Amino acid sequence: MKNLISMRDLDKADIIKLLSTAEKIESGELKINIEGKLAALLFFEPSTRTLFSFDTAMKKMGGKSLIMTGTGTTSVSKGESFSDTLMTISQYADIIIQRSPIEGAARYASEVVDIPVVNAGDGANQHPTQALLDLYSIMKTQGTLESLKIGMVGDLKFGRTVHSLCQALADFQPEIHLISPTHLRMPQHILDDMDEKEINWKEGERLENIIKELDILYVTRIQKERFADLDDYKKVKGSYILSRSMLNDVKKNLKILHPLPRVDEIDTDVDATEYAYYFPQARNGVFTRQAIIATLLGEV
Ligand code: CP
């Protein structure tokens, strides 16, 4: 594994190895020391969890981070090309972790520099490190990744986390229920990928029809920033709001995941239920990202 750009770059063995490394890091069985190593965190889109959990992951292993949020204070504002910027940063850092609003930007970066590149989200395309921490959260809460019934609800068109998660689950025989407004359905190329892997998936619009059967309910935000026309956003805003009353008679093992940030799609009174797992899920991001960095730096 030289880079982590898309879940399609990983096979089942790679995924299991990464999750096992994360588990050993969390339990303290595995101590990684990357003192002297530098990660360049290049974030051209806002972030709370991905940015801070990668920075935390570096620091917990004794490494350090250089953080660039936007290009306003860099020589890009004087006309320097993106490739020259990346080449320069690769002279200082040992690994680049990049978030961009442009689909394909991480793949491009990986073709420019010789150091490992991690895709921390590229537009509406992919968010593989989120998918890995989602798998880790599913494994921790269900004790397995195999043959689970997983519902994904909300903005499946622009939500990059669900694109990566569908690909991440491909080798674990899931039954996937895709619940979204008509205009925010899962892109055809992700459905084609699932068909190719013979994944059992179904589309629907009503969460109430399926919630009682699910092991995992993965809720996503409507991605307002990806709409070209705000009127279109207003038509679908608030389409799905998970309330406590909807959790009557769900399976005991149900866990609700959300990549966060949350806007209004999960009522805050769900937070205190035994089903809510989205904040521990964010914590799992640190162990998973420690495992990703350590693997790409050749430390495990
Ligand atoms: N889940 C996620 O990517 O959150 P941030 O946008 O806050 O990094």
Side-chain angles (χ1 to χ4, degrees):
M1 219 176 110
K2 184 177 180 298
N3 304 295
L4 178 54
I5 307 299
S6 160
M7 283 312 298
R8 294 189 76 172
D9 300 340
L10 304 184
D11 62 21
K12 187 174 185 177
D14 294 326
I15 292 173
I16 288 171
K17 173 107 191 299
L18 276 166
L19 300 187
S20 160
T21 302
E23 203 170 31
K24 287 181 192 152
I25 289 171
E26 182 179 6
S27 70
E29 185 188 335
L30 181 62
K31 303 245 184 275
I32 311 266
N33 184 349
I34 54 166
E35 201 181 332
K37 298 286 186 189
L38 270 174
L41 305 183
L42 312 182
F43 276 63
F44 306 116
E45 252 192 0
S47 170
T48 299
R49 280 142 293 273
T50 313
L51 178 63
F52 289 123
S53 64
F54 265 118
D55 191 29
T56 304
M58 282 302 290
K59 287 173 177 155
K60 276 184 172 259
M61 296 189 290
K64 290 194 166 68
S65 306
L66 305 165
I67 298 182
M68 184 198 281
T69 51
T71 53
T73 58
T74 73
S75 288
V76 172
S77 62
K78 296 182 227 162
E80 186 170 36
S81 70
F82 189 45
S83 63
D84 282 4
T85 304
L86 288 167
M87 277 300 286
T88 304
I89 288 165
S90 74
Q91 310 304 310
Y92 313 140
D94 300 285
I95 183 167
I96 287 176
I97 296 160
Q98 179 184 285
R99 170 169 289 189
S100 170
I102 301 168
E103 296 185 20
R107 181 77 65 196
Y108 174 75
S110 74
E111 286 162 3
V112 171
V113 300
D114 287 331
I115 60 173
V117 173
V118 177
N119 182 3
D122 62 329
N125 186 31
Q126 289 281 325
H127 196 348
T129 70
Q130 177 70 44
L132 285 164
L133 80 88
D134 295 338
L135 288 188
Y136 188 69
S137 301
I138 293 169
M139 195 179 69
K140 251 173 100 170
T141 59
Q142 307 296 320
T144 181
L145 289 173
E146 301 285 345
S147 305
L148 296 170
K149 214 176 245 202
I150 297 177
M152 300 183 190
V153 62
D155 183 350
L156 307 184
K157 178 179 180 187
F158 295 121
R160 58 194 171 199
T161 64
V162 284
H163 303 165
S164 290
L165 185 56
C166 282
Q167 292 172 340
L169 287 163
D171 291 319
F172 299 98
Q173 287 80 47
E175 183 178 310
I176 297 182
H177 293 264
L178 303 169
I179 302 138
S180 69
T182 315
H183 297 301
L184 296 178
R185 282 189 181 150
M186 188 63 80
Q188 189 59 45
H189 70 96
I190 303 287
L191 300 178
D192 291 344
D193 279 354
M194 290 201 286
D195 284 340
E196 198 179 304
K197 291 275 188 174
E198 298 182 354
I199 294 179
N200 183 1
W201 62 268
K202 295 182 180 69
E203 281 184 326
E205 289 190 32
R206 289 186 60 80
L207 179 57
E208 294 82 351
N209 290 352
I210 189 69
I211 193 167
K212 291 181 178 58
E213 295 176 31
L214 298 175
D215 301 302
I216 293 289
L217 174 58
Y218 194 95
V219 184
T220 65
R221 171 178 69 92
I222 309 278
Q223 308 268 306
K224 181 180 179 183
E225 68 276 24
R226 311 258 180 244
F227 282 76
D229 183 343
L230 262 188
D231 284 339
D232 288 341
Y233 167 71
K234 285 178 192 153
K235 282 180 203 152
V236 287
K237 182 183 179 312
S239 296
Y240 297 98
I241 298 180
L242 182 68
S243 61
R244 198 173 180 138
S245 62
M246 293 166 73
L247 298 170
N248 294 333
D249 304 323
V250 293
K251 285 173 78 172
K252 279 298 281 180
N253 64 310
L254 174 75
K255 287 291 177 259
I256 301 161
L257 303 186
H258 190 314
L260 303 176
R262 157 175 62 180
V263 180
D264 58 4
E265 56 280 355
I266 302 180
D267 278 350
T268 51
D269 65 3
V270 173
D271 298 0
T273 68
E274 65 198 281
Y275 309 109
Y277 193 72
Y278 22 93
F279 291 112
Q281 178 188 358
R283 178 180 168 79
N284 290 337
V286 175
F287 314 122
T288 314
R289 288 174 171 133
Q290 281 180 271
I292 292 165
I293 293 166
T295 302
L296 289 172
L297 292 180
E299 298 290 331
V300 286

